[in-house]
Amino acid sequence: MAQNNLGNMVEKYTTRLDQQITAGACTADLNMNQDLLGEMTGAGVINIATIAMDGLADHVRGRGFVRGGAELKWTPYQLEFERDREFVVDEMDDAERLGLMTANLMAEFQRQHVIPEIDAIRFARMAENAGNMGAATYADPAAAMDDLLLAEECMQDNGAQLSGCILYCTSAYKTLLRKAQPWRIGQGESPSGNFETIDDMRIRTVPSVRFQTAIDLLDGVTAGEEAGGFKPAENGKAINFQVVHPSAVAAISRLAKLRYFAPDVNQDDDAHKWQYRLFHDMWVYENKKNLIYGTHAE
């Protein structure tokens, strides 16, 4: 294989970038069980497994067990969001150096642009479909804590254990919670008002730019939208916090295999060309909307 052909690295990059999305997003805890996901077509249709089975039957002594049925069924779903971007990297003599550059380029692209956009879409969709999503402006810690306690009541009233819930919040909202918690400094102790859980709920602090009730996706080609990405929608509101039980949603992201064109094949330029294409989606289950509770700015 020619030294300037990096085609053998494509599969490795695809796997690495998929793993980065899964692990790096604030909403990574909401990703659907990968064991239930089948193959995805080039059009962004993915097969999802569902298991149907009979319920319990009466046991009659001496007659053995009542036989039931169980069936694994694969159902195709069209992922709504299909996004892409093309990158061109000038040819370099050292293929190994270029390989490192390309890997870092794609990783930084995902960290700076892809992962924030995926999070923003998911938070906006949960806000749109939440069972409870009111307006509030917090002037003191007690008010922030009171609304969080109401969210906890809602989770428990709908059958969710707090230990299975996730509190997504801004850093400002978490600061209010820290001020609302009494704590003391003991001799020989290292003072710290920070905490990773509250009432057994895991805390995920979200950058405010991703935490909006509505966003607009930029198409990357229209005048003024060439940079791509996303921005808060005009009718959107900044979210203060969301308490979510993961069973309320199903989040899926799947990176289509990277396309690569070596300089000898690329007819546009003497350069390595990489084409990135991502499919993703999130569904909120109709019967579990009450397991999403939060507030947004007034």
Side-chain angles (χ1 to χ4, degrees):
M1 179 177 293
Q3 190 174 6
N4 67 351
N5 190 331
L6 303 177
N8 61 330
M9 297 185 181
V10 170
E11 186 172 351
K12 179 179 69 174
Y13 289 155
T14 302
T15 301
R16 182 184 301 172
L17 294 173
D18 251 338
Q19 292 171 345
Q20 184 189 37
I21 293 176
T22 301
C26 292
T27 53
D29 294 304
L30 306 180
N31 284 327
M32 194 170 182
N33 184 347
Q34 297 298 304
D35 292 338
L36 300 179
L37 300 181
E39 296 298 321
M40 185 182 71
T41 69
V45 176
I46 193 167
N47 288 317
I48 299 178
T50 55
I51 301 174
M53 64 186 70
D54 296 331
L56 287 169
D58 287 338
H59 180 74
V60 180
R61 297 181 184 180
R63 295 187 182 179
F65 288 82
V66 181
R67 176 169 295 181
E71 178 186 11
L72 176 66
K73 182 179 179 182
W74 292 92
T75 304
Y77 288 87
Q78 175 69 56
L79 301 183
E80 178 179 349
F81 300 99
E82 179 180 356
R83 304 280 277 170
D84 71 49
R85 186 58 95 176
E86 179 179 275
F87 294 97
V88 176
V89 181
D90 290 338
E91 182 181 6
M92 300 170 67
D93 293 332
D94 185 352
E96 183 178 356
R97 281 175 54 201
L98 183 56
L100 292 173
M101 176 181 176
T102 303
N104 290 329
L105 172 71
M106 293 299 182
E108 283 302 309
F109 172 60
Q110 288 205 144
R111 274 192 289 267
Q112 295 183 29
H113 300 284
V114 177
I115 290 175
E117 180 177 308
I118 291 175
D119 276 340
I121 289 173
R122 291 177 177 179
F123 287 124
R125 176 153 291 181
M126 287 191 290
E128 179 185 1
N129 292 278
N132 298 273
M133 198 73 193
T137 299
Y138 300 112
D140 60 85
M145 179 59 74
D146 286 345
D147 275 355
L148 181 61
L149 294 177
L150 290 176
E152 293 181 5
E153 289 180 10
C154 180
M155 295 295 111
Q156 295 177 42
D157 285 345
N158 286 278
Q161 296 291 328
L162 293 182
S163 59
C165 295
I166 305 168
L167 167 61
Y168 296 104
C169 64
T170 62
S171 58
Y173 184 83
K174 185 177 180 181
T175 296
L176 291 173
L177 296 183
R178 293 170 67 184
K179 291 181 178 179
Q181 298 294 313
W183 59 289
R184 64 178 180 82
I185 301 175
Q187 186 175 4
E189 296 177 348
S190 298
S192 176
N194 194 21
F195 45 84
E196 300 301 322
T197 64
I198 184 168
D199 295 340
D200 293 332
M201 297 185 296
R202 290 167 289 167
I203 300 175
R204 298 285 185 269
T205 306
V206 184
S208 57
V209 69
R210 311 183 195 182
F211 218 28
Q212 306 289 324
T213 60
I215 64 167
D216 290 331
L217 295 179
L218 307 181
D219 61 24
V221 293
T222 300
E225 298 187 11
E226 294 89 348
F230 70 96
K231 66 178 182 180
E234 290 187 8
N235 63 335
K237 303 289 185 179
I239 299 173
N240 300 311
F241 78 93
Q242 285 181 337
V243 174
V244 181
H245 193 278
S247 66
V249 302
I252 299 174
S253 65
R254 185 64 63 86
L255 176 62
K257 188 174 183 179
L258 292 174
R259 297 182 63 190
Y260 167 74
F261 301 90
D264 293 340
V265 178
N266 181 6
Q267 298 182 4
D268 299 325
D269 197 359
D270 184 22
H272 298 258
K273 179 187 292 186
W274 293 86
Q275 294 178 336
Y276 179 104
R277 188 180 180 193
L278 176 72
F279 295 93
H280 68 98
D281 209 341
M282 168 185 271
W283 300 288
V284 176
Y285 296 115
E286 186 69 27
N287 63 338
K288 294 190 176 182
K289 289 186 175 183
N290 285 334
L291 293 179
I292 304 175
Y293 189 114
T295 68
H296 57 74
E298 294 177 312

